[in-house]
Tab-separated table of all heavy atoms in Angstrom:
chain	number	residue	atom	x	y	z
A	1225	ASP	N	28.175	-28.595	-14.824
A	1225	ASP	CA	28.049	-27.150	-15.035
A	1225	ASP	C	29.009	-26.695	-16.122
A	1225	ASP	O	28.651	-25.900	-16.998
A	1225	ASP	CB	28.368	-26.399	-13.735
A	1225	ASP	CG	27.292	-26.577	-12.688
A	1225	ASP	OD1	26.126	-26.840	-13.095
A	1225	ASP	OD2	27.580	-26.456	-11.491
A	1226	GLN	N	30.236	-27.220	-16.082
A	1226	GLN	CA	31.229	-26.889	-17.102
A	1226	GLN	C	30.675	-27.198	-18.479
A	1226	GLN	O	30.693	-26.383	-19.396
A	1226	GLN	CB	32.484	-27.737	-16.906
A	1226	GLN	CG	33.543	-27.161	-16.028
A	1226	GLN	CD	34.741	-28.101	-16.011
A	1226	GLN	OE1	34.981	-28.855	-16.967
A	1226	GLN	NE2	35.498	-28.079	-14.936
A	1227	CYS	N	30.212	-28.456	-18.573
A	1227	CYS	CA	29.740	-28.941	-19.875
A	1227	CYS	C	28.665	-28.027	-20.431
A	1227	CYS	O	28.730	-27.600	-21.580
A	1227	CYS	CB	29.216	-30.368	-19.693
A	1227	CYS	SG	28.539	-31.061	-21.179
A	1228	ARG	N	27.695	-27.714	-19.581
A	1228	ARG	CA	26.562	-26.905	-20.052
A	1228	ARG	C	26.995	-25.493	-20.420
A	1228	ARG	O	26.519	-24.936	-21.402
A	1228	ARG	CB	25.488	-26.859	-18.969
A	1228	ARG	CG	24.819	-28.190	-18.823
A	1228	ARG	CD	23.726	-28.201	-17.797
A	1228	ARG	NE	23.084	-29.504	-17.844
A	1228	ARG	CZ	22.992	-30.334	-16.816
A	1228	ARG	NH1	23.468	-29.985	-15.645
A	1228	ARG	NH2	22.394	-31.501	-16.957
A	1229	ALA	N	27.888	-24.928	-19.630
A	1229	ALA	CA	28.323	-23.566	-19.927
A	1229	ALA	C	29.086	-23.544	-21.249
A	1229	ALA	O	28.920	-22.641	-22.067
A	1229	ALA	CB	29.188	-23.030	-18.798
A	1230	VAL	N	29.930	-24.587	-21.467
A	1230	VAL	CA	30.718	-24.605	-22.693
A	1230	VAL	C	29.823	-24.743	-23.916
A	1230	VAL	O	30.014	-24.045	-24.914
A	1230	VAL	CB	31.770	-25.739	-22.644
A	1230	VAL	CG1	32.374	-25.957	-24.012
A	1230	VAL	CG2	32.849	-25.399	-21.632
A	1231	TYR	N	28.825	-25.628	-23.852
A	1231	TYR	CA	28.006	-25.711	-25.069
A	1231	TYR	C	27.113	-24.489	-25.239
A	1231	TYR	O	26.725	-24.139	-26.345
A	1231	TYR	CB	27.249	-27.043	-25.193
A	1231	TYR	CG	26.028	-27.281	-24.330
A	1231	TYR	CD1	24.910	-26.437	-24.363
A	1231	TYR	CD2	25.941	-28.426	-23.538
A	1231	TYR	CE1	23.790	-26.695	-23.600
A	1231	TYR	CE2	24.821	-28.696	-22.774
A	1231	TYR	CZ	23.753	-27.822	-22.797
A	1231	TYR	OH	22.639	-28.088	-22.043
A	1232	ALA	N	26.823	-23.792	-24.110
A	1232	ALA	CA	26.105	-22.519	-24.256
A	1232	ALA	C	26.970	-21.522	-25.018
A	1232	ALA	O	26.474	-20.725	-25.824
A	1232	ALA	CB	25.742	-21.962	-22.888
A	1233	CYS	N	28.311	-21.583	-24.779
A	1233	CYS	CA	29.209	-20.668	-25.475
A	1233	CYS	C	29.157	-20.852	-26.974
A	1233	CYS	O	29.500	-19.931	-27.734
A	1233	CYS	CB	30.655	-20.864	-24.990
A	1233	CYS	SG	30.930	-20.164	-23.366
A	1234	SER	N	28.760	-22.054	-27.417
A	1234	SER	CA	28.720	-22.278	-28.862
A	1234	SER	C	27.836	-21.244	-29.546
A	1234	SER	O	28.086	-20.844	-30.686
A	1234	SER	CB	28.209	-23.686	-29.169
A	1234	SER	OG	26.876	-23.826	-28.689
A	1235	HIS	N	26.832	-20.763	-28.838
A	1235	HIS	CA	25.928	-19.778	-29.424
A	1235	HIS	C	26.591	-18.424	-29.631
A	1235	HIS	O	26.077	-17.582	-30.366
A	1235	HIS	CB	24.688	-19.595	-28.538
A	1235	HIS	CG	23.764	-20.778	-28.565
A	1235	HIS	ND1	22.863	-20.993	-29.592
A	1235	HIS	CD2	23.624	-21.810	-27.720
A	1235	HIS	CE1	22.199	-22.112	-29.349
A	1235	HIS	NE2	22.644	-22.637	-28.223
A	1236	LEU	N	27.744	-18.215	-28.945
A	1236	LEU	CA	28.436	-16.948	-29.125
A	1236	LEU	C	28.996	-16.814	-30.532
A	1236	LEU	O	29.328	-15.723	-30.986
A	1236	LEU	CB	29.583	-16.836	-28.112
A	1236	LEU	CG	29.168	-16.715	-26.645
A	1236	LEU	CD1	30.389	-16.755	-25.749
A	1236	LEU	CD2	28.403	-15.435	-26.431
A	1237	PHE	N	29.141	-17.971	-31.186
A	1237	PHE	CA	29.777	-17.935	-32.501
A	1237	PHE	C	28.781	-18.048	-33.626
A	1237	PHE	O	29.174	-18.201	-34.782
A	1237	PHE	CB	30.816	-19.065	-32.588
A	1237	PHE	CG	31.837	-18.962	-31.496
A	1237	PHE	CD1	31.808	-19.836	-30.409
A	1237	PHE	CD2	32.791	-17.968	-31.531
A	1237	PHE	CE1	32.734	-19.729	-29.394
A	1237	PHE	CE2	33.718	-17.851	-30.512
A	1237	PHE	CZ	33.689	-18.732	-29.444
A	1238	TRP	N	27.521	-17.957	-33.315
A	1238	TRP	CA	26.522	-18.049	-34.370
A	1238	TRP	C	25.375	-17.100	-34.066
A	1238	TRP	O	24.492	-17.420	-33.290
A	1238	TRP	CB	26.005	-19.493	-34.462
A	1238	TRP	CG	25.278	-19.733	-35.740
A	1238	TRP	CD1	23.960	-19.546	-35.978
A	1238	TRP	CD2	25.836	-20.208	-36.970
A	1238	TRP	NE1	23.644	-19.866	-37.251
A	1238	TRP	CE2	24.786	-20.278	-37.900
A	1238	TRP	CE3	27.123	-20.571	-37.366
A	1238	TRP	CZ2	24.994	-20.706	-39.218
A	1238	TRP	CZ3	27.309	-20.996	-38.661
A	1238	TRP	CH2	26.256	-21.055	-39.583
A	1239	LEU	N	25.399	-15.909	-34.650
A	1239	LEU	CA	24.295	-14.974	-34.431
A	1239	LEU	C	23.399	-14.984	-35.660
A	1239	LEU	O	23.841	-14.691	-36.774
A	1239	LEU	CB	24.814	-13.553	-34.209
A	1239	LEU	CG	25.697	-13.341	-32.996
A	1239	LEU	CD1	25.907	-11.860	-32.739
A	1239	LEU	CD2	25.081	-13.980	-31.762
A	1240	ASP	N	22.145	-15.300	-35.450
A	1240	ASP	CA	21.223	-15.439	-36.567
A	1240	ASP	C	21.166	-14.220	-37.472
A	1240	ASP	O	21.161	-14.330	-38.689
A	1240	ASP	CB	19.806	-15.716	-36.050
A	1240	ASP	CG	19.579	-17.210	-35.895
A	1240	ASP	OD1	20.295	-17.977	-36.563
A	1240	ASP	OD2	18.704	-17.595	-35.109
Side-chain angles (χ1 to χ4, degrees):
Chain A
D1225 289 335
Q1226 269 183 27
C1227 177
R1228 290 182 175 122
V1230 168
Y1231 75 58
C1233 285
S1234 62
H1235 289 280
L1236 293 174
F1237 303 106
W1238 196 271
L1239 298 191
D1240 271 337

